């Protein structure tokens, strides 16, 4: 059935061409019979054969108008069967009329045209073999002189040979044209896919560039404010002559400037998609977080580190963004006179689960998913300088590290943000052969 399915396919031009010829054959059969009736009054015809085939050709020609899609797949079978059946009818009529020249010429014309209407070589072979065998049997079984057999069969073979060469050349040209069209179609489709891919990449890059400006303004605000505050403290210390205190504040100020440099590098990597560099050194999260705790603490802001933090193979700029955003949110969205923040880690079997907990106003459960979306802010928050970026940045960074982030919170009771980093990802993402899990142990 698969072979017949491939054999039966026709394009719209072939369907229209076959339909037109079949429509012409219906009245043509009547005209041909009338001419033979005039030339040969003693002719012998099959009863109602002319009427039946004329109606049959007319009905077959109407099929494409009913279902064009079905005809593209199967109409070649219908045309082949119709012409083969008509050819056998003509040969039978020819034998009834002792292979007279008038019937012989008409039969030759139909057989030649029937071959040219076939859509593949298999149809041509079946058509020629069956008609040739039928013709030979008619000559052998009929009351026909033996001297007539050879000329008739030779002329028939000649017609078949020439028509086969003609149709074979056409089919070869059609096949090559089809292959060329398929190749061209495939090339066009591939180019369209490439263009779509490039368009998506460009759209993604544009979105990243748009996010870049917002992320820069968001993540750089707090370090700049810290620098401004520390500079004011240094100025006051110098006025008071407290050089030791001024030195300590200058050290903190320099740390904030260093953090700004790290943040700028990290934001560029995050937003512009160039964050694929290898990290080959363990990062001590204790030092990183201790510096942030010192910079963000105040008389009414108490940040407590509950446990020692691990040393990990992570990008410093990115993990700095994570902790900075979580700490700043804990401070910013806090309605208590005394802000209390806890930072720690839970060492599980396959991962490190970090947390940043606060005693703030809390978050309603229906907003848990919303807070991690870019530019989404809760209307209940009165904070004016919130851009709705921080947690989206954190989620994206943690996701790129292969981890997860989520929140647990109750209104009025505070919030705890958890994020996990899987040990296998931290190791396998870098030079796994040189790093063991023992190197990642807590200090």
């Amino acid at each position: 059935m698969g072979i017949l399915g491939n054999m039966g396919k026709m394009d719209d031009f072939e369907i229209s061409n076959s339909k037109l010829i079949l429509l012409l054959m219906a009245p043509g059969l009547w005209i041909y019979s009338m001419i033979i009736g005039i030339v040969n009054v003693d002719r012998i015809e099959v009863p109602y054969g002319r009427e039946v085939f004329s109606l049959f050709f007319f009905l077959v020609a109407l099929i494409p108008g009913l279902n064009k899609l079905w005809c593209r797949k199967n109409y070649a079978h219908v045309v082949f069967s119709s012409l083969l059946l008509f050819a056998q009818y003509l040969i039978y009529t020819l034998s009834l009329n002792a292979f007279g020249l008038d019937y012989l010429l008409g039969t030759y014309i139909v057989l030649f045209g029937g071959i040219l209407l076939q859509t593949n070589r298999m149809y041509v072979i079946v058509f020629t073999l069956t008609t040739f065998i039928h013709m030979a049997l008619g000559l052998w079984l009929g009351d026909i002189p033996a001297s007539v057999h050879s000329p008739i069969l030779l002329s028939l073979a000649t017609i078949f040979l020439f028509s086969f060469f003609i149709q074979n050349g056409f089919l070869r040209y059609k096949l090559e044209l089809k292959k060329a069209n398929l190749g061209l179609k495939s090339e066009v489709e591939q180019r369209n896919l490439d263009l779509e891919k490039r368009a998506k990449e460009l759209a993604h890059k544009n979105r990243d560039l748009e996010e870049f400006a917002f992320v820069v303004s968001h993540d750089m605000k707090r370090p700049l404010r810290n620098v401004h505050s520390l500079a004011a403290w240094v100025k006051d210390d110098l006025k008071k002559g407290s050089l030791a205190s001024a030195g300590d504040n200058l050290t903190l100020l320099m740390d904030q400037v260093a953090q700004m440099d790290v943040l700028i590098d990290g934001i560029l990597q995050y937003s512009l998609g160039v964050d694929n560099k290898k990290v080959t050194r363990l990062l001590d999260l204790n030092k990183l977080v201790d510096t942030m705790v010192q910079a963000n603490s105040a008389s009414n802001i108490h940040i407590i580190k509950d446990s020692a933090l691990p040393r990990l193979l992570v990008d410093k700029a990115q993990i700095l963004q994570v902790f900075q955003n979580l700490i700043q949110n804990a401070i910013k969205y806090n309605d208590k006179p005394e802000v209390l923040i806890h930072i720690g880690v839970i060492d599980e079997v396959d991962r490190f689960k970090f947390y940043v907990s606060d005693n703030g106003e809390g978050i309603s459960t229906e907003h848990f998913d919303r807070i991690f979306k870019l530019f989404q802010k809760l209307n209940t928050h009165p904070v004016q300088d919130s851009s709705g970026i921080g947690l989206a940045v954190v989620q994206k960074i943690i996701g790129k590290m292969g981890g997860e982030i989520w929140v647990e919170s109750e209104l009025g009771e505070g919030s705890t943000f958890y994020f996990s980093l899987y040990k296998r990802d931290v190791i396998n993402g870098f030079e796994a052969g040189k790093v063991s899990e023992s190197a990642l142990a807590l200090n």
Side-chain angles (χ1 to χ4, degrees):
M1 186 65 187
I3 296 175
L4 290 177
N6 292 330
M7 287 166 50
K9 291 183 179 179
M10 299 179 74
D11 56 32
D12 291 341
F13 173 77
E14 290 172 329
I15 292 175
S16 299
N17 188 40
S18 300
K19 174 183 175 181
L20 177 61
I21 291 175
L22 290 172
L23 282 174
L24 292 175
M25 286 179 69
L29 182 58
W30 283 83
I31 296 172
Y32 175 67
S33 298
M34 290 175 59
I35 294 174
I36 290 182
I38 296 173
V39 176
N40 185 1
V41 294
D42 298 326
R43 71 190 186 283
I44 301 174
E45 291 188 1
V46 178
Y48 302 107
R50 176 180 59 186
E51 291 80 359
V52 170
F53 270 100
S54 296
L55 179 62
F56 176 70
F57 289 141
F58 181 75
L59 294 176
V60 171
L62 294 180
I63 292 177
L66 302 176
N67 192 327
K68 202 65 170 288
L69 180 61
W70 182 89
C71 284
R72 290 194 186 100
K73 297 179 179 179
N74 303 289
Y75 199 54
H77 302 323
V78 177
V79 173
F80 167 74
S81 302
S82 303
L83 293 174
L84 183 62
L85 182 63
F86 185 55
Q88 308 313 311
Y89 163 76
L90 288 180
I91 294 173
Y92 177 70
T93 305
L94 179 63
S95 63
L96 290 178
N97 289 275
F99 289 85
L101 184 61
D102 46 2
Y103 278 93
L104 190 61
L105 290 176
T107 303
Y108 282 169
I109 293 172
V110 171
L111 295 180
F112 178 71
I115 293 175
L116 295 183
L117 280 176
Q118 304 310 321
T119 57
N120 60 69
R121 295 183 183 89
M122 184 60 67
Y123 281 157
V124 173
I125 292 172
V126 174
F127 189 85
T128 54
L129 284 177
T130 54
T131 52
F132 189 85
I133 292 172
H134 191 181
M135 185 82 78
L137 287 174
L139 289 169
W140 183 53
L141 296 176
D143 188 17
I144 308 298
S147 59
V148 179
H149 293 188
S150 296
I152 292 177
L153 293 177
L154 182 61
S155 59
L156 181 62
T158 303
I159 291 173
F160 284 161
L161 185 63
F162 277 101
S163 58
F164 180 81
F165 283 149
I166 294 172
Q167 186 66 350
N168 186 61
F170 172 74
L171 292 175
R172 184 185 295 111
Y173 170 76
K174 178 186 174 183
L175 181 61
E176 292 175 354
L177 183 62
K178 184 177 181 180
K179 288 181 178 179
N181 289 337
L182 288 175
L184 182 61
K185 181 180 179 181
S186 177
E187 184 178 352
V188 170
E189 289 177 351
Q190 185 59 46
R191 290 190 178 184
N192 287 336
L193 290 175
D194 292 341
L195 288 173
E196 289 178 5
K197 183 179 178 181
R198 287 293 303 275
K200 290 179 181 178
E201 290 175 353
L202 289 174
H204 182 71
K205 290 291 184 182
N206 286 336
R207 285 195 301 270
D208 282 346
L209 288 172
E210 289 175 0
E211 290 180 16
F212 172 70
F214 293 103
V215 173
V216 168
S217 63
H218 176 272
D219 283 359
M220 293 303 296
K221 279 182 179 180
R222 186 62 187 181
L224 283 172
R225 289 172 183 169
N226 289 341
V227 167
H228 182 271
S229 298
L230 288 169
W233 294 352
V234 170
K235 184 177 179 181
D236 291 340
D237 290 337
L238 291 177
K239 286 182 179 181
K240 297 175 182 179
S242 302
L243 295 181
S245 179
D248 292 340
N249 287 328
L250 278 174
T251 301
L252 291 176
L253 190 149
M254 292 172 65
D255 289 340
Q256 289 298 299
V257 172
Q259 280 193 21
M260 288 173 60
D261 180 66
V262 172
L263 280 174
I264 290 172
D265 180 60
I267 292 169
L268 282 170
Q269 293 175 7
Y270 163 83
S271 299
L272 301 180
V274 292
D275 54 343
N276 296 321
K277 68 179 184 179
K278 277 191 175 181
V279 179
T280 57
R281 290 192 303 173
L282 289 170
L283 176 66
D284 189 348
L285 295 185
N286 288 292
K287 294 181 180 179
L288 181 74
V289 172
D290 287 344
T291 302
M292 298 179 68
V293 168
Q294 193 173 9
N296 289 279
S297 295
S299 59
N300 66 326
I301 299 175
H302 309 285
I303 305 176
I304 302 171
K305 192 171 70 171
D306 294 338
S307 60
L309 302 179
R311 293 165 295 172
L312 300 178
L313 283 169
V314 292
D315 182 77
K316 182 178 181 181
Q318 292 184 351
I319 203 68
L320 177 61
Q321 283 181 279
V322 170
F323 278 107
Q324 176 176 276
N325 277 297
L326 292 178
I327 292 172
Q328 287 302 310
N329 278 352
I331 296 172
K332 187 183 298 183
Y333 303 113
N334 200 302
D335 56 351
K336 306 298 190 296
E338 294 290 327
V339 176
L340 182 61
I341 300 172
H342 287 269
I343 300 174
V345 64
I346 302 171
D347 188 0
E348 298 183 343
V349 176
D350 59 343
R351 65 178 182 172
F352 290 113
K353 186 167 73 174
F354 297 89
Y355 63 86
V356 176
S357 179
D358 63 68
N359 65 333
E361 59 192 76
I363 304 170
S364 180
T365 54
E366 63 263 24
H367 298 310
F368 282 3
D369 292 332
R370 181 182 173 190
I371 59 176
F372 291 105
K373 295 180 180 179
L374 196 64
F375 307 126
Q376 293 294 315
K377 298 186 293 183
L378 302 185
N379 295 331
T380 57
H381 290 155
V383 182
Q384 297 298 319
D385 61 349
S386 174
S387 61
I389 294 176
L391 290 178
V393 171
V394 171
Q395 186 182 53
K396 188 170 183 180
I397 291 174
I398 295 300
K400 284 188 175 183
M401 291 182 178
E404 301 170 293
I405 183 170
W406 67 98
V407 62
E408 294 179 3
S409 181
E410 291 185 17
L411 287 175
E413 299 296 329
S415 304
T416 301
F417 284 87
Y418 293 94
F419 69 90
S420 64
L421 294 177
Y422 287 87
K423 296 176 181 178
R424 66 174 186 273
D425 293 333
V426 173
I427 296 174
N428 294 340
F430 306 96
E431 298 180 359
K434 298 181 180 180
V435 180
S436 63
E437 284 200 23
S438 60
L440 305 177
L442 301 178
N443 291 332

